[in-house]
Amino acid sequence: MSAHCQLTGARPGFGNAISHSHRRTSRRFDPNIQRKRYWLAGEGRYVRLTLSAKAIKTVDVIGVEGAVARIRARGVKV
């Protein structure tokens, strides 16, 4: 699964893991990505969205229709 959010566009961040001896090795900070299925009443079907945990809370506030409208405005097919 791709580690990016369809709603917020959150993608992995990159940095260094620093050991006790202070050696640096490359690491990745992945967003908390979940796949959620929502009922889209306007189209009479389910949609499966790849969302971060923060975006799931946003969908709870703005609703599924509003979230899908924002995703489509970003140019992502739903």
Side-chain angles (χ1 to χ4, degrees):
M1 175 171 27
S2 178
H4 76 276
C5 176
Q6 289 180 312
L7 182 60
T8 62
R11 291 189 176 273
F14 295 90
N16 290 312
I18 302 178
S19 70
H20 180 70
S21 64
H22 224 63
R23 288 181 58 108
R24 289 169 168 84
T25 55
S26 184
R27 66 159 292 180
R28 208 170 119 137
F29 296 91
D30 286 328
N32 185 5
I33 297 296
Q34 311 290 325
R35 289 195 61 176
K36 288 274 291 180
R37 192 175 83 143
Y38 291 102
W39 174 252
L40 194 58
E43 298 180 17
R45 68 184 181 104
Y46 285 100
V47 291
R48 188 176 300 276
L49 302 176
T50 304
L51 302 171
S52 63
K54 179 182 175 183
I56 291 172
K57 296 171 191 171
T58 303
V59 170
D60 291 341
V61 173
I62 66 173
V64 180
E65 301 281 343
V68 169
R70 284 190 192 181
I71 292 170
R72 287 182 175 149
R74 293 181 71 236
V76 179
K77 184 182 174 200
V78 177

